[in-house]
Amino acid sequence: QVQLIESGGGLVQTGGSLRLSCVASGRTFTINSMGWFRQAPGKEREFVAAISMNGGTTYYAESVKGRFAISRDNSKKTVYLQMNSLKPEDTAVYYCGGGPRNVATMTYDYWGQGTQVTVPS
């Protein structure tokens, strides 16, 4: 099994920045890709960004391109999501996912508990 723990969420004003972290533990050697999804109240969970753990290939949702950046530190078994120029529509619970599938699938077997990001309007 793999455990994922997110941190770094909070309340930030429009235009501000936050950096989310996701630390993996357990059978981390099974993880080939990781990513971030988010879920706003009353909406379905949506893809935000993904990264391969080998090579660092990345994918982004159109809504966050140019504002968010996903990165990894394999030595720390950690994935980050740097969020800049935050908007009220970025308000959501952000979930970290990880799994053995190719990064292009954006599909994960393991999930963290989520961290709240709030950008007041």
Side-chain angles (χ1 to χ4, degrees):
Q1 286 288 358
V2 171
Q3 295 77 43
L4 302 175
I5 298 179
E6 305 101 330
S7 62
L11 187 149
V12 63
Q13 298 304 311
T14 298
S17 298
L18 281 176
R19 188 176 81 157
L20 306 183
S21 300
C22 176
V23 180
S25 61
R27 297 170 59 88
T28 57
F29 61 89
T30 66
I31 298 176
N32 188 45
S33 66
M34 295 183 71
W36 293 91
F37 276 65
R38 67 186 180 186
Q39 188 166 19
K43 295 186 177 181
E44 294 187 355
R45 190 176 294 193
E46 64 175 1
F47 168 75
V48 176
I51 189 167
S52 69
M53 303 311 287
N54 298 304
T57 300
T58 58
Y59 292 89
Y60 294 95
E62 285 296 325
S63 60
V64 306
K65 277 185 181 178
R67 301 188 299 122
F68 290 12
I70 189 170
S71 61
R72 76 200 193 288
D73 185 336
N74 289 345
S75 67
K76 296 181 179 179
K77 302 178 182 178
T78 301
V79 169
Y80 304 97
L81 185 68
Q82 178 66 44
M83 306 186 295
N84 299 324
S85 302
L86 282 162
K87 305 174 182 180
E89 50 263 45
D90 295 317
T91 294
V93 177
Y94 283 70
Y95 296 91
C96 171
R101 297 178 181 83
N102 185 280
V103 63
T105 68
M106 303 165 198
T107 303
Y108 308 111
D109 293 347
Y110 309 108
W111 291 95
Q113 80 289 350
T115 185
Q116 176 72 46
V117 172
T118 302
V119 188
S121 56

